[in-house]
Each structure stands twice: as structure tokens, then as C-alpha cells.
């Protein structure tokens, strides 16, 4: 059966008390991930097709409702398409940062978040959040009572008809002024305890991510004081600026052997709590937070922080390089500098690999979406209007046009590349056939593929003629710069550091000595060799250091294999089973993962890291004002760099990866599979040198990898419209009072949370059905029934937890009218 991955990168906006809506949405995302795991973890086809969620997942004493609905939908789609839902990354700011942290932790370790509903209902209340010393007594600022009465009477403050809201607003306004009213330490403890109480399933090593996948979490934070950045310009040669925008990152990797590494486990719970507290430290409401606040909490709880070193090294590297102690700085709401962290989500999408056909989505949660502004009426704004716009309204409005334009440009490049490759296919097909026909196959499939590959390399150089000179120089130059970046990363150097430039220049000088660039004017058609021992210098360099060529080739092959699922009904592919395609891609997965690891620098042994750090430090102290190293002799420096580069080549060990890949491709030649399948493998693996010459010289196409287009979906009250016409307006209650209204009434919090679940379920069902099209198309009436089932399941679960039963009654009426 055809397989497809629905890969989601989530972006969670800020929204203060609308964190309740966010919590409802992420709960549905978590339930969808649980349903997908239960479906795909079941090997028995009949059991998978007909089993309930409880049967497939096993009992874990959690609330079950929409999991059954999502599972039924996957089973319905599963009649023609095996659709797997995977969350690749989560990025959040402010209230969305809290929600993103909770969701990422739950996804990584299959944790329950059911208990957090009561925490938000009870604790996200203004009277509980107010610091005790700040809270007003009955007669504090009694002179304000008449003014508040007027405000309430005239409804100047908006949603103030509820008696509970009036009472709490009065207490809030009469509390101590000129100090943050909310208790930051208590909120930190609340987050720490709430996330610490997230319970595991019965399986201790359980995760909702499939083996071989990673989950990235990014949270925006504002550094109150910032750290200096050094920039080189023409005149003056160096300028400095202050960087206050931070992006704290956390990662979970679930390896194929069942092991994992995690920044989202209990060992880093304090770091997650600090990130949640920092990203939501709304200025003027919460006090800024510091590392010392967390240290005091850990002392009170008698808790340790085993992952502290990793957290500090990951998120405060620039502070350390600037000589700034992170314990002495203060952190504010991440929404101040980046309330819509699309860039982190886009970066994660670009870096993710897929091993089957993929539908990539960026899904962003926007509780209070922008509405078209009224046209200007020609009147000049008043002094107060201008001041308010300059200090509050305009800075808080962060358009996402630029990010969406980047995605649109990426998609356009993908479409253009596909058109070019399709147009070139007939000629490349013929050339590869000539290569294969001129060199007879041997018993050793790996050796056969290697000889074919070398012949294709030589043919591509000969046919491209003078254009190959451009390709070869660009490729060699790109590979050298990748070596520079890799070495500087292993040496723990930031691009702003003067040592980065010095070490980079030393490695470029090594490249010049080694002759890594093809000679000018030379015809390069005869450069193919059997091994690196007699290669020309520039080819020898590529054989030992060109990681990205191998990565591009393998990604290209995987993309081609993914396209075969849609061609299984063609006569030429009769007899080819999806499992055979899966098996070949699975075998390619290990070397592809290894190549990505090499590119990131995570492979290196401590020895070479230490040597590069020592070399960078020695270059730093031996540099005079002109930038020239003077303590090293030219020979001693070149010898030291030569030695390190030789060790780096040994650790990369690309020759072994080449042999492994040739063996995997060669194994497809002798299998009992259709000739058309073997031809596709040879065409894209052996012939990649021809394809690469065609596309590499176009800068926008070099890093496209195997990615398909990226689609963008929004989850908001404005997009989930099934129930709103019959129940309430599209505006959430907590959006009043500039998103603070939810803190003043439990009924508002209950309403926003419930709508979050309902809207989340509706939009996720829409996205799943859209991802399944055109392989399977569900009619609108069937989709409506699925949504109604989800709505009923949610209300049946939440009924016993909500105090506002009138809301449930209204919603049930709306659901019945929708059927």
C-alpha cells in the first residue's frame, strides 16, 4: 500500500490568558499523535484496520475521547493510503512558548497532560497570580471606587458585565502600583510542578516519535540587557551591537535501536520550567526572571538539575564568548522581540529528511487572528493615539508576510527544479544507459555500481566541456567552505569571533597548498579514478571531504523512490511491492543519517575537538594588530593544520560510506524485482553526477534536498466555523482586555479551553483529509460526521470538569444543528 508522511512544524503564537485556548489545541495535536502511533505500531493488518484505540494502544489509564475519532479516520484513509502523522518541530513565544514546551515534552516521552486542565482553571486566576504583598485590601485606594464604577457602567473596559470580573478587576486596579503585580516565583513553581507531574505511559521508554526521528523545540526569550556582537565592516573595521533576542532550543532524538537523547526529559525539567517562565514574562505584569530564581526553587524542592551543563552550553554560548555571566542577566517575554517564531519552524522543515512520500506543513496557532484594518478616514491622529501606536500597537504587530514569502519562493524553486529535471530526464536516461551498456556487470554488485558511477562522473565532465570548469570550481569551493565551517564549529568558534577568521584563513591556506581548486583552463574530463591514491589534488580533496555531494545524491535517490509509490499500477512496475521500496529506503537511511551527522559536527571525537580548540586559542594569542600570526612559523602552522585536516578526513571516512552506498544500490540489481525498478535506482544513483552538473550551479537549488513543497495551515477561531454560527461569536472571551480577560473569570477560561479543543479537532481533521487527497477523497458529508463525532467526544469528556454547564448546553444544540 502507498505510504505517506504528514510532517508538521508547529508555531504557537503568544496570547497571555489565551494560553487556555492554546492548551486545548495542543491537547488535540497530542491525541492525534497518539492515534497515529497506535495505528502504525500495529503490524497485523487486520488488527490495524479494525481495532479500537484501546485495543491497539493498550490500557494506560488516560482520558480517551478524540483518539478514537482520529484512529477511525486513519483507518478509513488506510483503505488506500497508509498516512503517518509526525511532529518535526515546535516553536513558541510567550503563552505559545509555554504550550509548545508542554506539547514537545509530551510528544517526546508520551506523557499525559490531563492534569494541567485543572491547573489552568484554578491557578490562572488573577487573585492567585497576584503577589501577596501586592494584593489590595478592601479599603486600599478606596478613592478609585467611583471611577471604576463609571468605567464598568459605561463598559469602557469592554467585557465587564460579569460580577466576578468586576470584583477581580477592582482588586487588580487597586493593588500596589509601579511594581509587577503577579508573583513570578509562584508562577515558576507552578510551571515546574505542572510539567513535573506529566505522567508516563506504562512503557518507560515510550515516545510518540517513530524510531529514527528527532523533535526540535524552540522558545523565544528576550534578554533584558543583551550581549555584545562584533561585526566587521569596511570603515571602521569593527562595530559592535547589542543582541537581545534569544532562541532557546531543546532536542529529542529517538534512534532506530530504541535509545534516545533528550532535552525534554526529567533531567532537564528545571531548564524547561525556566524557559516557560522566561518566555511568558509579560513586561509590567510579571517581574523579569533570572537563573537565581530557579536555583532558589530547586533548593526549596530539594531537586537537582542533571542537564544544567548541556542547557547552559546550548543556550548561552554567545554569552560565554562575550564574557557575560548568564546568572547576572534577566529575561523577559519572548514576544517582545519575536512573537511569531516562523524562522525556527522553517529552518526545521528545511533540515528534515523523509523516507517516503511526504506532505510538509507549517501549522500555526493564532488565537486572535488579524482582521483587516479600517481604511484611514483622513483625520490626523491625536497625541495619545500616536503615542500608543508608537509604543505599543505598532511594535506588537509583527507581520508574517516575509516568512510566508520565503516559503512561497521555496515552493516556486521546487516546482521549477522538478520541471527542469523532468525535461532533462530523457537525455540523461540515454546517457546512463550507455554507461551501463559499456561496462559489464560483475558478481560483486558494489564494484559494478562503483565502476558505473566513475564512468558517469567522467562522462558528465566530458559532455559539459567548459561548463564543467564552473561546476567543479563551485563544488570544490563550496566543499572547502563547509570544511571551514565544520572546523570552526568543532573549535567552538562563533562567526563574530576574531579567531573564526584567523582559523578560517589558516584552513583556506591549507586548501591552497593542497590544490583543492581545479586548475584554470584545464579540461577536467579525465578526472575519474578508482580510488583516492592517484587522484588529482582537487578530486582527492572531494573524495575525502565533500559530504554534501553524497547527501545530495542520496536525497535525490530517496525522492525518486518515493515517487514510485504512485506508479505501482503501471505495467512496467507490476509485481513491485511497497515493502520492497520501503526496505531499500530503510537501508539507505543509516548512511544518510550518518552524512547529516557528519555535516553537523556531532560525529567528532573529543581528541580532534580539543586539538582545534587549542589551535584556535594559539592563533588568537599569536596574532598581532595586523591580523598576522607571528608566534607560529609558516612551516609549523602549516604542519599543524595538515595534521589536523588529515585526522578530520580519517574521522569523516567518506570512502567507507561510498562503499556502503554502492553495496546498497548494487543489491537492487540482483533482486527479483521488475527491470523498471532496477532502472530507476541506476538512473538516479549512478546518473546523479549528470543531474548534479545540471542543478548545482543554480544557488537556490543547492540545498533543496529531497523536500517537496511546504504548505501552511492556520488554527484559529476564524478558521473553525462549523459550530460558531450557532453557538457564539468567533472572538474568544479571553481576547478581551488586551488578552488578559481570562485571568479574571474561570468561566472565560473554561470557554477558551473548550473552544481550543473543538477548533483544534476540526482543523486537524481538515488537514488530515487534505493530506490524503487525491489518493482518497472523503465527501463533505462524511467529513462532517467525523467532526461531529469528535465534538461529542470532547464534550462528553469535559462535562464533568467544567462548572459552566450553560456553555455545554449551547454547544450541544449547535452540534445537533450541524448534523
Amino acid at each position: 500500500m502507498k505510504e505517506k508522511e504528514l510532517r508538521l512544524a508547529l508555531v504557537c503564537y503568544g496570547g497571555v490568558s489565551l494560553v487556555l485556548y492554546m492548551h486545548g489545541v495542543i491537547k488535540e495535536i497530542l491525541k492525534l499523535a497518539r492515534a497515529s502511533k497506535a495505528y502504525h505500531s500495529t503490524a497485523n493488518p487486520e488488527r490495524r484496520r479494525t481495532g479500537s484505540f484501546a485495543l491497539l494502544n493498550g490500557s494506560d489509564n488516560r482520558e480517551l475521547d478524540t483518539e478514537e475519532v482520529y484512529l477511525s479516520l486513519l483507518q478509513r484513509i488506510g483503505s488506500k493510503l497508509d498516512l503517518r502523522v509526525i511532529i518535526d518541530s515546535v516553536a513558541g513565544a510567550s503563552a505559545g512558548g509555554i504550550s509548545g514546551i508542554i506539547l514537545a515534552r509530551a510528544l517526546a516521552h508520551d506523557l499525559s497532560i490531563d492534569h494541567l486542565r485543572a491547573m489552568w482553571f484554578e491557578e490562572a486566576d488573577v487573585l492567585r497570580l497576584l503577589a501577596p504583598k501586592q494584593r489590595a485590601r478592601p479599603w486600599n485606594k478606596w478613592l478609585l471606587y467611583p471611577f471604576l464604577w463609571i468605567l464598568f457602567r459605561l463598559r469602557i473596559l469592554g467585557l465587564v458585565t460579569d460580577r466576578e470580573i468586576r470584583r477581580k478587576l477592582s482588586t487588580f486596579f487597586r493593588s500596589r502600583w509601579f511594581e509587577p503585580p503577579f508573583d513570578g516565583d509562584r508562577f515558576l513553581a507552578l510551571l515546574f510542578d505542572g510539567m513535573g507531574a506529566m505522567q508516563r505511559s506504562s512503557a518507560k521508554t515510550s515516545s510518540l516519535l517513530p524510531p529514527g526521528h528527532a523533535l526540535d523545540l524552540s522558545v523565544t526569550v528576550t534578554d533584558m540587557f543583551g550581549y555584545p556582537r562584533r561585526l566587521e565592516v569596511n570603515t571602521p573595521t569593527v562595530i559592535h551591537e547589542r543582541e537581545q533576542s534569544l532562541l532557546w532550543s531543546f532536542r529529542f532524538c529517538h534512534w532506530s535501536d530504541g535509545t534516545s537523547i533528550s532535552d525534554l526529559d526529567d533531567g532537564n525539567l528545571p531548564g524547561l520550567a525556566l524557559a516557560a517562565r522566561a518566555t511568558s514574562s509579560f513586561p509590567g505584569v510579571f517581574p523579569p526572571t533570572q537563573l537565581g530564581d530557579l536555583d532558589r526553587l530547586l533548593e526549596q524542592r530539594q531537586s537537582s538539575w542533571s542537564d544544567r551543563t548541556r542547557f547552559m552550553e546550548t543556550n548561552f554560548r554567545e554569552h560565554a564568548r562575550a564574557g557575560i555571566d548568564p546568572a547576572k542577566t534577566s529575561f523577559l517575554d519572548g514576544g517582545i522581540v519575536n512573537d511569531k517564531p516562523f524562522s525556527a519552524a522553517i529552518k526545521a522543515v528545511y533540515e528534515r529528511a523523509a523516507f517516503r512520500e511526504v506532505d510538509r506543513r507549517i501549522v500555526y496557532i493564532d488565537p486572535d487572528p488579524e482582521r483587516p484594518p479600517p481604511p484611514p478616514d483622513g483625520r490626523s491622529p491625536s497625541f495619545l493615539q500616536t503615542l500608543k501606536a508608537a509604543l505599543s500597537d505598532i511594535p506588537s504587530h509583527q507581520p508574517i508576510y516575509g516568512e510566508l514569502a520565503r516559503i512561497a519562493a521555496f515552493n516556486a524553486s521546487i516546482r521549477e527544479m522538478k520541471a527542469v529535471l523532468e525535461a532533462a530526464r530523457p537525455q540523461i536516461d540515454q546517457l546512463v544507459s550507455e554507461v551501463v551498456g559499456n561496462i559489464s556487470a560483475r558478481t560483486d554488485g558494489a564494484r559494478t555500481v562503483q565502476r558505473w558511477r566513475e564512468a558517469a562522473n567522467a562522462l558528465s565532465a566530458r559532455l559539459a566541456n567548459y561548463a564543467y570548469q564552473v561546476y567543479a570550481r563551485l563544488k570544490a569551493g563550496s566543499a572547502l567552505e563547509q570544511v571551514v565551517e565544520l572546523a570552526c564549529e568543532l573549535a567552538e568558534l562563533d562567526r563574530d569571533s576574531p579567531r573564526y577568521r584567523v582559523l578560517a584563513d589558516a584552513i583556506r591556506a591549507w586548501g591552497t597548498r593542497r590544490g583543492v581548486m581545479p586548475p584554470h583552463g584545464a579540461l577536467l574530463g579525465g578526472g575519474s579514478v578508482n580510488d583516492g591514491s592517484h587522484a588529482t589534488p582537487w578530486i582527492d580533496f572531494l573524495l575525502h571531504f565533500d559530504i554534501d555531494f553524497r547527501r545530495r545524491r542520496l536525497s535525490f535517490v530517496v525522492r525518486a523512490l518515493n515517487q514510485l509509490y504512485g506508479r505501482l499500477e503501471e505495467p512496467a512496475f507490476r509485481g513491485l511491492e511497497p515493502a520492497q521500496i520501503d526496505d531499500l529506503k530503510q537501508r539507505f537511511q543509516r548512511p544518510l543519517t550518518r552524512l547529516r551527522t557528519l555535516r553537523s559536527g556531532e560525529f567528532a571525537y573529543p581528541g580532534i575537538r580539543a586539538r582545534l580548540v587549542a589551535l584556535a586559542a594559539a592563533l588568537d594569542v599569536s596574532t598581532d594588530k595586523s591580523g598576522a600570526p607571528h608566534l607560529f612559523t609558516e612551516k609549523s602552522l602549516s604542519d599543524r593544520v595538515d595534521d589536523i585536516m588529515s585526522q578530520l578526513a580519517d574521522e569523516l571516512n567518506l570512502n567507507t560510506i561510498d562503499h556502503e552506498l554502492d553495496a546498497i544500490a548494487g543489491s537492487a540489481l540482483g533482486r527479483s524485482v521488475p527491470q523498471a525498478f532496477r532502472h530507476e535506482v541506476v538512473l538516479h544513483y549512478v546518473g546523479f553526477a549528470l543531474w548534479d552538473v545540471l542543478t548545482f550551479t543554480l544557488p537556490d537549488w543547492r540545498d533543496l534536498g529531497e523536500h517537496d513543497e511546504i504548505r501552511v495551515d492556520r488554527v484559529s477561531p476564524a478558521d473553525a466555523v462549523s459550530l460558531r454560527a450557532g453557538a457564539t461569536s468567533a472572538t474568544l472571551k479571553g481576547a478581551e482586555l488586551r488578552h488578559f480577560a481570562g485571568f479574571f473569570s474561570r468561566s472565560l477560561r473554561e470557554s477558551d479551553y473548550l473552544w481550543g479543543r473543538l477548533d483544534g479537532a476540526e482543523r486537524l481533521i481538515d488537514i488530515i483529509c487534505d493530506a490524503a487527497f487525491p489518493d482518497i477523497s472523503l465527501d463533505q458529508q462524511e467529513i462532517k460526521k467525523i467532526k461531529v463525532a469528535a465534538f461529542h467526544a470532547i464534550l462528553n469528556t469535559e462535562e464533568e470538569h467544567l462548572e459552566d454547564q450553560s456553555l455545554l448546553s449551547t454547544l450541544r444544540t449547535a452540534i445537533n444543528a450541524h448534523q
Side-chain angles (χ1 to χ4, degrees):
M1 180 182 297
K2 182 178 179 180
E3 290 185 320
K4 195 177 197 179
E5 291 179 355
L6 173 58
R7 308 287 288 266
L8 305 181
L10 303 175
V11 180
C12 303
Y13 283 15
V16 196
S17 74
L18 292 179
V19 67
L20 273 300
Y21 181 85
M22 292 272 193
H23 188 69
V25 175
I26 67 167
K27 194 167 193 175
E28 290 308 306
I29 295 172
L30 181 61
K31 287 174 176 287
L32 172 59
R34 295 189 72 211
S36 180
K37 181 194 174 183
Y39 180 75
H40 289 280
S41 297
T42 305
N44 185 297
E46 180 64 24
R47 184 185 177 96
R48 174 191 289 194
R49 187 169 57 252
T50 61
S52 66
F53 178 85
L55 177 65
L56 301 184
N57 182 72
S59 176
D60 56 13
N61 299 317
R62 299 186 190 178
E63 292 179 350
L64 298 181
D65 41 55
T66 49
E67 291 96 335
E68 290 285 4
V69 179
Y70 297 133
L71 176 65
S72 297
L73 177 56
L74 293 176
Q75 289 171 331
R76 171 69 178 86
I77 294 170
S79 62
K80 293 184 178 179
L81 175 68
D82 195 0
L83 183 67
R84 182 192 294 266
V85 182
I86 299 172
I87 315 299
D88 277 331
S89 69
V90 182
S94 194
I98 297 177
S99 300
I101 292 169
I102 291 170
L103 176 61
R105 179 164 154 77
L107 289 169
H109 300 290
D110 192 10
L111 305 179
S112 171
I113 65 172
D114 293 335
H115 67 290
L116 295 174
R117 168 183 50 216
M119 183 190 82
W120 289 124
F121 285 172
E122 297 293 334
E123 302 295 339
D125 185 274
V126 66
L127 297 186
R128 290 182 178 266
L129 292 172
L130 279 173
K133 66 178 182 178
Q134 307 292 83
R135 185 179 302 178
R137 302 296 184 266
W139 292 105
N140 287 149
K141 299 185 178 69
W142 61 271
L143 290 174
L144 286 178
Y145 279 122
F147 296 99
L148 290 172
W149 183 86
I150 293 172
L151 291 175
F152 296 156
R153 186 76 173 176
L154 298 179
R155 298 190 181 181
I156 294 175
L157 292 177
L159 189 68
V160 292
T161 56
D162 186 276
R163 181 174 297 178
E164 178 189 8
I165 299 177
R166 290 191 178 192
R167 175 173 58 84
K168 292 179 179 178
L169 271 173
S170 174
T171 301
F172 180 78
F173 281 121
R174 291 183 298 103
S175 297
R176 180 181 292 185
W177 295 350
F178 307 113
E179 290 185 25
F182 287 174
D183 189 337
D185 289 341
R186 187 174 187 280
F187 191 50
L188 176 61
L190 188 71
L191 294 167
F192 181 84
D193 295 338
M195 287 192 286
M198 294 169 65
Q199 296 180 350
R200 297 180 181 274
S201 67
S202 56
K204 291 184 179 181
T205 59
S206 179
S207 173
L208 296 181
L209 268 71
H213 289 267
L215 173 67
D216 286 315
L217 167 66
S218 302
V219 179
T220 64
V221 176
T222 302
D223 187 333
M224 178 88 176
F225 304 105
Y227 59 88
R229 295 186 71 101
R230 182 181 184 277
L231 302 174
E232 295 184 3
V233 295
N234 186 42
T235 55
T237 55
V238 175
I239 63 173
H240 295 85
E241 67 174 8
R242 181 170 59 173
E243 179 62 70
Q244 294 177 270
S245 176
L246 306 181
L247 192 69
W248 288 356
S249 60
F250 307 84
R251 177 164 248 228
F252 171 83
C253 297
H254 188 196
W255 306 119
S256 299
D257 62 4
T259 60
S260 63
I261 59 171
S262 179
D263 296 326
L264 301 169
D265 210 346
D266 292 343
N268 201 34
L269 177 60
L272 296 170
L274 178 67
R277 167 71 176 88
T279 191
S280 60
S281 185
F282 196 89
V285 177
F286 283 106
T289 192
Q290 297 181 323
L291 280 163
D293 300 335
L294 179 61
D295 291 334
R296 288 194 302 274
L297 175 65
L298 294 178
E299 185 178 356
Q300 294 169 5
R301 293 288 193 274
Q302 296 183 338
S303 298
S304 62
W305 185 3
S306 59
D307 291 351
R308 182 184 187 117
T309 300
R310 177 177 168 87
F311 174 85
M312 300 297 290
E313 289 178 350
T314 300
N315 297 302
F316 292 105
R317 184 175 300 171
E318 290 80 6
H319 289 75
R321 290 170 180 167
I324 294 177
D325 183 357
K328 295 181 179 179
T329 193
S330 299
F331 308 109
L332 295 173
D333 194 297
I336 298 173
V337 291
N338 188 358
D339 195 40
K340 303 167 183 178
F342 269 83
S343 58
I346 294 172
K347 181 176 182 293
V349 170
Y350 286 170
E351 294 176 349
R352 282 296 186 269
F355 296 98
R356 51 185 57 82
E357 184 178 350
V358 63
D359 184 341
R360 297 186 183 276
R361 308 282 179 115
I362 291 180
V363 177
Y364 69 100
I365 307 171
D366 185 1
D368 191 17
E370 190 82 18
R371 296 166 183 77
D377 56 13
R379 290 181 295 179
S380 178
S382 67
F383 169 76
L384 292 178
Q385 285 177 320
T386 303
L387 197 63
K388 177 174 176 290
L391 297 179
S392 175
D393 294 346
I394 294 177
S396 66
H397 175 73
Q398 299 177 12
I400 61 173
Y401 173 83
E403 285 81 359
L404 296 184
R406 283 176 58 196
I407 296 172
F410 176 85
N411 291 341
S413 293
I414 289 286
R415 290 191 292 269
E416 186 179 2
M417 182 180 69
K418 287 181 177 179
V420 169
L421 295 180
E422 195 61 34
R425 178 181 170 120
Q427 185 175 4
I428 294 179
D429 197 336
Q430 180 181 349
L431 293 173
V432 172
S433 297
E434 291 177 6
V435 167
V436 173
N438 291 334
I439 301 175
S440 59
R442 298 187 176 188
T443 305
D444 184 352
R447 178 61 179 148
T448 297
V449 170
Q450 180 186 353
R451 296 174 69 222
W452 286 347
R453 184 166 50 77
E454 291 167 354
N457 290 340
L459 180 62
S460 66
R462 186 169 65 252
L463 293 179
N465 203 351
Y466 67 87
Y468 195 83
Q469 175 76 230
V470 178
Y471 164 73
R473 293 186 67 84
L474 281 174
K475 187 166 77 160
S478 175
L480 180 60
E481 288 308 306
Q482 289 163 11
V483 172
V484 168
E485 292 178 10
L486 180 57
C488 290
E489 179 182 344
L490 296 176
E492 301 178 0
L493 296 179
D494 185 77
R495 280 185 173 274
D496 299 333
S497 169
R499 288 186 292 167
Y500 185 101
R501 177 177 57 82
V502 177
L503 180 58
D505 287 346
I507 295 173
R508 293 186 186 110
W510 163 83
T512 300
R513 292 193 308 273
R514 178 163 176 165
V516 302
M517 297 299 292
H520 286 284
L523 293 178
L524 307 177
S528 181
V529 293
N530 290 338
D531 55 61
S533 59
H534 303 293
T536 56
W538 70 274
I539 291 180
D540 183 70
F541 167 72
L542 294 176
L543 289 172
H544 286 91
F545 289 98
D546 194 356
I547 302 169
D548 265 14
F549 176 82
R550 279 90 167 174
R551 180 189 59 80
R552 290 195 307 275
R553 179 179 64 198
L554 193 46
S555 297
F556 187 72
V557 172
V558 170
R559 184 201 294 122
L561 293 175
N562 285 335
Q563 294 172 345
L564 295 183
Y565 291 107
R567 303 178 62 187
L568 294 180
E569 300 302 321
E570 295 179 13
F573 291 97
R574 285 250 169 88
L576 179 65
E577 297 295 329
Q580 293 172 301
I581 306 176
D582 295 343
D583 178 64
L584 186 59
K585 288 193 300 181
Q586 187 66 31
R587 298 182 66 198
F588 276 134
Q589 180 177 353
R590 182 179 175 276
L592 181 55
T593 301
R594 173 67 176 168
L595 288 169
R596 287 195 169 90
T597 303
L598 295 180
R599 188 66 178 87
S600 69
E602 296 177 1
F603 71 95
Y605 296 112
I608 194 170
R609 290 180 182 272
R611 296 185 67 187
L612 281 164
V613 169
L615 175 61
L619 287 170
D620 186 37
V621 300
S622 65
T623 301
D624 61 26
K625 292 182 179 179
S626 68
H630 62 81
L631 291 185
F632 283 117
T633 66
E634 183 175 347
K635 184 177 188 310
S636 65
L637 175 59
S638 63
D639 288 346
R640 193 166 177 178
V641 174
D642 286 347
D643 188 37
I644 290 176
M645 289 296 103
S646 177
Q647 182 181 352
L648 181 60
D650 290 341
E651 292 200 24
L652 291 175
N653 197 13
L654 295 182
N655 182 59
T656 299
I657 294 178
D658 286 339
H659 182 75
E660 180 181 2
L661 291 174
D662 289 343
I664 294 171
S667 68
L669 302 180
R671 293 184 172 192
S672 57
V673 293
Q675 172 62 28
F677 178 65
R678 293 195 293 271
H679 179 76
E680 289 296 316
V681 174
V682 172
L683 173 64
H684 292 88
Y685 184 81
V686 172
F688 179 71
L690 299 159
W691 299 103
D692 201 45
V693 171
L694 183 66
T695 61
F696 187 79
T697 55
L698 303 174
D700 292 342
W701 291 1
R702 291 178 195 168
D703 296 321
L704 292 183
E706 81 283 4
H707 297 320
D708 288 313
E709 296 182 33
I710 302 170
R711 295 194 275 181
V712 181
D713 297 285
R714 183 178 69 176
V715 177
S716 82
D719 308 307
V721 297
S722 294
L723 301 180
R724 293 190 179 275
T728 183
S729 68
T731 302
L732 298 176
K733 303 300 183 183
E736 298 288 343
L737 303 179
R738 297 187 68 85
H739 297 169
F740 277 88
F743 293 141
F744 294 91
S745 168
R746 172 169 175 143
S747 66
L748 301 190
R749 295 193 291 276
E750 291 181 354
S751 175
D752 288 353
Y753 161 74
L754 191 55
W755 275 113
R757 288 205 65 185
L758 295 170
D759 290 355
E762 178 171 354
R763 293 296 291 133
L764 289 176
I765 291 169
D766 289 336
I767 291 170
I768 294 169
C769 293
D770 187 44
F773 183 83
D775 298 288
I776 183 168
S777 179
L778 279 64
D779 62 51
Q780 290 302 311
Q781 191 60 36
E782 187 173 5
I783 295 174
K784 180 184 289 188
K785 289 181 179 178
I786 296 169
K787 291 180 179 179
V788 167
F791 297 154
H792 280 304
I794 291 169
L795 295 190
N796 291 340
T797 294
E798 300 297 346
E799 185 172 14
E800 63 177 290
H801 301 286
L802 303 182
E803 293 181 355
D804 187 359
Q805 295 296 309
S806 62
L807 174 62
L808 290 169
S809 177
T810 302
L811 287 170
R812 291 191 191 282
T813 301
I815 293 172
N816 292 333
H818 181 68
Q819 295 185 72

